[in-house]
Amino acid sequence: MSGRLLRLVCTAALAAGAVLVPGSAAAAPEPGARSVAALLTELQTLYREAEKATESYNATEERLKRQRAETARLDRALARTRDSLHDSRGAAGRLARQQYQSVTGLSPYVRLLLAHDPQRALDQGHVIGQLARERAATVGRLTGDTKKAVELARRARKALDARTALAERREKERDQVRTRLHAVEALLASLTPGQLTALADLEQVNTAEAQRELVASGALSSTHAPTPAGERAVRYAVEQLGKPYEWGAEGPAAFDCSGLTSKAWGAAGTPIPRTSQEQWARLERVPLDELRPGDLVVYFPEATHVALYLGDGMVVQAPRPGARIKVSPVAAAPVLGAVRPDPAGKSVRRYEPPELPAGAASGTGYAPETSAR
C-alpha cells in the first residue's frame, strides 16, 4: 500500500461490519449523492472481503510452512536411506566377491561327508550357517533399502509438487488481498472531509447501540477472572496497543487480527491456530455470558475476524487496514461466538486488570493521527 494511500486509510477507515442504524442518524446527503449509511455499508463490505481474503492467505501461508517442513523431513530421510543403500550395496559387493573366490565345486554337505574330523566339520557347519544367515540379511537390507529409497523419492517429489502448488496459491491470494484493499483506498479517496466525519459519527452511534442491546440481552452479565495463561495473553495484547494493523503480520511491529490473538496466546505458553477460522473451528466454544479475560471473540458468519476479550464488555483487537490495535466494545462487529484456548485452566484468585494507556479506545482512523507507536 502506498504511503499516501496508507495515510488516507489511517484518516478515513472504519470498523468492518458495524451494525447500521436508520439513515436519520447521519447527515442528510446532497441531492444525487450516496447517503452516509450507504457509504458505510459499502466500506463494511469491502473491509469484510479484504479480511476474508487475508485470512485465506494466512491459512495458505500456514499450510505452506508445514509443507516446507514436511519436504525438508522427507529430503533428510531420503539422504539417510541413500547412505544406507550405498553401504548395503558395498556389503553385497563384498559378499559376491567372497562367494566367487570360495567356489570349490563341492557342496558343504559333500565336504562334511568326506571330512577326516566330522566333529570339526560340524563346527565349521555352524559357522557356515551363520555366514549364510548374515549373507541373507545383507541381501535383505539391500532389497529393503532399495524399496524404501524408491518410496521416499516418490513422496519427496509429491511433497515438492504440493509445496509448489501452495506457493502459487499464496501468490494468487496475495493479489486478491491487494485488489480488495485498492478498492477500499479508491472509495476513501473519493470522500470529502464532511463525509469522513459523518462516517465516524455514524459508526460511534451504531457501535454504542449494538453494545447496549448486547448488554441488555444479558449476554455479558457475568464477571469471571482469567486463568494465569489468560492473564498473560491479555497483558501481551495490551502491550501491543497503538501498533498498526498490517494484513498477514504476526508482530512484533504490526499485526492482523488473528496474528495478534495467536501471538498473545503463544506468549502465554499456549500455542493456538494462526487464523481466526481455525481458532473458531479447533478451540473450545464458550457462551458469551461465561467470557473471561483472554477468551477469543469471533466475528461474522465466516469467522473472518477475531479479538481478545479484555473484560467489562471490551476487547483488544487489530481492527482493519489503516487502523491501530485498540480497545473496542464487544459489539463493534457482528459476533459469531467465543472460544477458549485453555478450557482446563483454573481462574486466578486475584486479578488486577492491566492499566490501559490514554487513548486505548481511540485510533478509529477517522481523524489524522498525530503520533505512531
Side-chain angles (χ1 to χ4, degrees):
M1 187 182 298
S2 69
R4 181 184 67 81
L5 289 174
L6 180 56
R7 287 192 297 273
L8 178 60
V9 173
C10 289
T11 301
L14 63 139
V19 181
L20 294 179
V21 296
S24 59
E30 297 177 1
R34 288 173 294 179
S35 68
V36 173
L39 289 172
L40 184 58
T41 300
E42 185 173 355
L43 280 168
Q44 288 170 357
T45 301
L46 292 173
Y47 273 122
R48 186 172 171 181
E49 289 177 351
E51 194 155 44
K52 184 176 180 180
T54 296
E55 289 302 287
S56 294
Y57 170 85
N58 289 338
T60 300
E61 179 68 17
E62 289 302 297
R63 290 180 59 193
L64 182 55
K65 289 179 183 177
R66 293 193 294 269
Q67 193 62 51
R68 287 194 188 108
E70 175 66 6
T71 302
R73 185 189 68 80
L74 288 172
D75 286 344
R76 290 192 297 270
L78 181 57
R80 290 193 297 269
T81 301
R82 283 173 172 166
D83 288 342
S84 178
L85 180 59
H86 180 270
D87 294 340
S88 296
R89 284 172 174 165
R94 290 191 296 273
L95 176 61
R97 290 192 295 272
Q98 291 170 0
Q99 288 179 328
Y100 175 78
Q101 293 169 356
S102 64
V103 172
T104 62
L106 296 176
S107 72
Y109 305 103
V110 174
R111 289 200 300 274
L112 178 61
L113 291 174
L114 298 178
H116 294 293
D117 187 347
Q119 183 60 45
R120 182 170 181 272
L122 285 172
D123 292 339
Q124 289 178 336
H126 287 301
V127 174
I128 291 172
Q130 179 64 29
L131 290 174
R133 287 190 292 273
E134 292 177 357
R135 290 170 179 175
T138 298
V139 173
R141 283 196 303 273
L142 176 61
T143 302
D145 287 344
T146 300
K147 292 180 179 179
K148 185 176 181 180
V150 170
E151 174 61 17
L152 282 172
R154 183 191 67 79
R155 291 171 59 189
R157 286 193 298 270
K158 185 177 179 180
L160 182 59
D161 290 342
R163 190 178 76 176
T164 301
L166 282 172
E168 293 174 352
R169 177 176 174 178
R170 182 188 61 173
E171 294 302 312
K172 291 179 180 179
E173 290 176 340
R174 176 182 293 169
D175 291 341
Q176 290 175 353
V177 174
R178 289 172 175 166
T179 297
R180 284 161 173 74
L181 290 178
H182 289 161
V184 172
E185 294 165 358
L187 178 56
L188 292 172
S190 70
L191 302 181
T192 66
Q195 288 173 314
L196 300 179
T197 300
L199 284 171
D201 293 341
L202 179 56
E203 186 205 11
Q204 289 181 343
V205 170
N206 290 342
T207 299
E209 178 62 25
Q211 186 76 357
R212 281 194 298 271
E213 291 179 1
L214 185 62
V215 172
S217 72
L220 298 175
S221 59
S222 299
T223 301
H224 302 276
T227 62
E231 184 176 9
R232 292 192 295 270
V234 167
R235 295 191 184 281
Y236 179 93
V238 169
E239 290 172 358
Q240 314 314 312
L241 288 170
K243 292 184 178 180
Y245 176 106
E246 180 180 319
W247 67 272
E250 301 177 73
F255 297 84
D256 63 18
C257 66
S258 56
L260 176 63
T261 55
S262 61
K263 285 299 181 181
W265 273 97
T270 306
I272 63 174
R274 166 64 175 90
T275 69
S276 60
Q277 292 168 330
E278 283 297 299
Q279 291 168 10
W280 174 248
R282 293 169 56 186
L283 300 180
E284 182 170 311
R285 299 180 185 179
V286 293
L288 292 180
D289 61 0
E290 295 182 12
L291 277 174
R292 63 190 185 194
D295 289 344
L296 306 182
V297 181
V298 184
Y299 297 89
F300 302 113
E302 303 91 348
T304 51
H305 186 68
V306 64
L308 189 141
Y309 189 61
L310 182 62
D312 295 327
M314 306 297 283
V315 295
V316 180
Q317 65 163 330
R320 63 191 176 277
R324 296 182 179 276
I325 296 173
K326 64 173 184 174
V327 174
S328 304
V330 168
V335 176
L336 175 61
V339 293
R340 178 165 292 165
D342 61 339
K346 302 299 183 182
S347 298
V348 297
R349 292 186 178 181
R350 295 186 59 184
Y351 174 57
E352 293 292 337
E355 184 177 351
L356 300 179
S362 63
T364 57
Y366 301 116
E369 298 183 18
T370 56
S371 63
R373 180 174 172 178

